[in-house]
């Protein structure tokens, strides 16, 4: 699917926001093509957001310009200590978010296992800008042995965007280890209500972006069918919880 087809498909499923996240081809689009994507979203009443990885100034500035061309005001990124040492992150982000704030752009750094949630909160607190917050996705932090509930409580005050995906554990064959994978929203271990309430998602009008850890099925056709089912279930679930 082209990016425009993805946006149209999302709109047909009932989505109101589409986050173009970790989609490298967006960097290659011309000004005219970005304008077409923006027009497609507007004509389908879909709000666009942008997403990337890394916090180096030149990279974030590039995405800032892409966001402006798309009419997007929110950019999701993540701190990658292997690329940018944590002790450099504050200085790197400070100038960038000041510039973003002046341009009406907001940056959200996602919770991931590469950086503990306590370190991430400390970073955001130190920078202390209304243009910088946290994208909350507690399932990602399990790989760093953090409980989702703890991550939610620790980051809630700084959250400016939510990634909503459910997850579950199951025993490996022979009871040797565990398999940590996705689940349809509402059927796994994510305490969505607690997450939403802690971040005051409704009161603050936070955008909630649906994601999946969907295990591959026996064929591409089966995988795509289940992905669509999971997406529709997630949209319906969020609507029912946020009426």
């Amino acid at each position: 699917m082209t990016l425009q087809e993805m946006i149209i498909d999302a709109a047909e499923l009932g989505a109101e926001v589409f986050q173009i996240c970790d989609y490298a081809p967006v960097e290659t689009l011309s000004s005219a093509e970005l304008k077409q994507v923006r027009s497609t979203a507007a004509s389908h009443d879909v709000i666009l957001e942008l997403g990337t990885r890394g916090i180096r100034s030149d990279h974030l500035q590039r995405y800032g310009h892409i966001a402006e061309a798309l009419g997007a005001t929110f950019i999701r990124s993540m701190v990658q200590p292997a690329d940018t040492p944590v002790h450099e992150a504050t200085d790197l982000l400070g100038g960038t978010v000041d510039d973003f704030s002046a341009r009406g752009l907001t940056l959200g750094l996602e919770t991931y296992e590469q950086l503990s949630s306590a370190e991430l909160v400390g970073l955001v607190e130190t920078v202390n800008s209304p243009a910088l917050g946290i994208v909350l996705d507690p399932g990602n932090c399990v790989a760093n042995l953090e409980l989702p509930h703890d991550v939610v409580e620790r980051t809630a005050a700084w959250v400016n965007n939510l990634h909503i995906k459910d997850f579950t554990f199951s025993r490996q064959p022979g009871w040797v280890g565990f398999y940590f994978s996705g689940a349809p929203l509402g059927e796994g271990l994510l305490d969505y209500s607690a997450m939403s309430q802690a971040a005051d998602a409704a009161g603050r009008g936070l955008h909630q972006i649906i994601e999946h850890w969907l295990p591959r099925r026996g064929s591409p056709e089966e995988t795509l069918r289940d992905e669509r089912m999971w997406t529709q279930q997630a949209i319906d679930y969020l609507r029912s919880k946020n009426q």
Side-chain angles (χ1 to χ4, degrees):
M1 299 173 75
T2 66
L3 184 52
Q4 287 162 278
E5 288 171 337
M6 294 180 208
I7 293 168
I8 294 169
D9 188 59
E12 290 175 346
L13 285 166
E16 300 172 6
V17 182
F18 188 84
Q19 191 173 99
I20 307 168
C21 194
D22 293 336
Y23 182 72
V26 75
E27 299 181 23
T28 68
L29 298 181
S30 66
S31 296
E33 289 170 324
L34 290 171
K35 185 177 180 179
Q36 290 174 347
V37 172
R38 178 174 181 169
S39 177
T40 296
S43 65
H44 288 82
D45 296 320
V46 172
I47 298 169
L48 291 180
E49 296 182 346
L50 198 56
T52 185
R53 301 184 183 195
I55 59 170
R56 293 204 172 273
S57 301
D58 56 344
H59 182 70
L60 288 178
Q61 288 292 350
R62 183 179 186 185
Y63 267 78
H65 292 307
I66 295 172
E68 288 172 327
L70 290 169
T73 60
F74 183 84
I75 301 173
R76 165 271 195 190
S77 197
M78 56 185 289
V79 180
Q80 296 178 294
D83 177 62
T84 306
V86 176
H87 68 271
E88 297 180 9
T90 301
D91 290 338
L92 280 173
L93 286 168
T96 300
V97 297
D98 284 346
D99 179 63
F100 274 15
S101 180
R103 293 157 60 186
L105 298 173
T106 300
L107 178 67
L109 300 177
E110 187 167 350
T111 53
Y112 268 96
E113 72 275 10
Q114 291 97 330
L115 194 68
S116 73
S117 59
E119 289 176 300
L120 183 58
V121 167
L123 173 60
V124 173
E125 283 183 328
T126 301
V127 175
N128 192 27
S129 168
L132 179 66
I134 291 175
V135 179
L136 177 57
D137 190 340
N140 291 335
C141 300
V142 172
N144 197 31
L145 301 183
E146 293 193 75
L147 293 175
H149 174 77
D150 293 344
V151 173
V152 169
E153 291 298 313
R154 187 172 294 122
T155 63
W158 298 98
V159 170
N160 60 4
N161 194 266
L162 297 171
H163 279 190
I164 309 295
K165 68 166 175 272
D166 214 337
F167 46 86
T168 187
F169 279 99
S170 59
R171 283 280 188 177
Q172 294 278 29
W175 282 47
V176 180
F178 293 89
Y179 183 61
F180 184 46
S181 184
L185 185 57
E187 298 181 17
L189 298 173
L190 177 69
D191 188 343
Y192 170 77
S193 294
M195 176 181 176
S196 178
Q197 290 170 13
D200 191 17
R204 297 168 59 202
L206 300 181
H207 289 170
Q208 305 184 47
I209 307 301
I210 293 166
E211 290 190 333
H212 305 310
W213 275 340
L214 177 69
R216 290 186 182 274
R217 306 311 194 200
S219 69
E221 293 75 19
E222 291 176 286
T223 305
L224 291 170
R225 178 202 65 201
D226 284 1
E227 180 185 55
R228 195 169 187 85
M229 290 172 56
W230 281 30
T231 302
Q232 189 65 70
Q233 176 170 328
I235 289 173
D236 294 342
Y237 181 91
L238 290 181
R239 282 234 171 85
S240 70
K241 294 291 185 177
N242 289 279
Q243 289 179 344

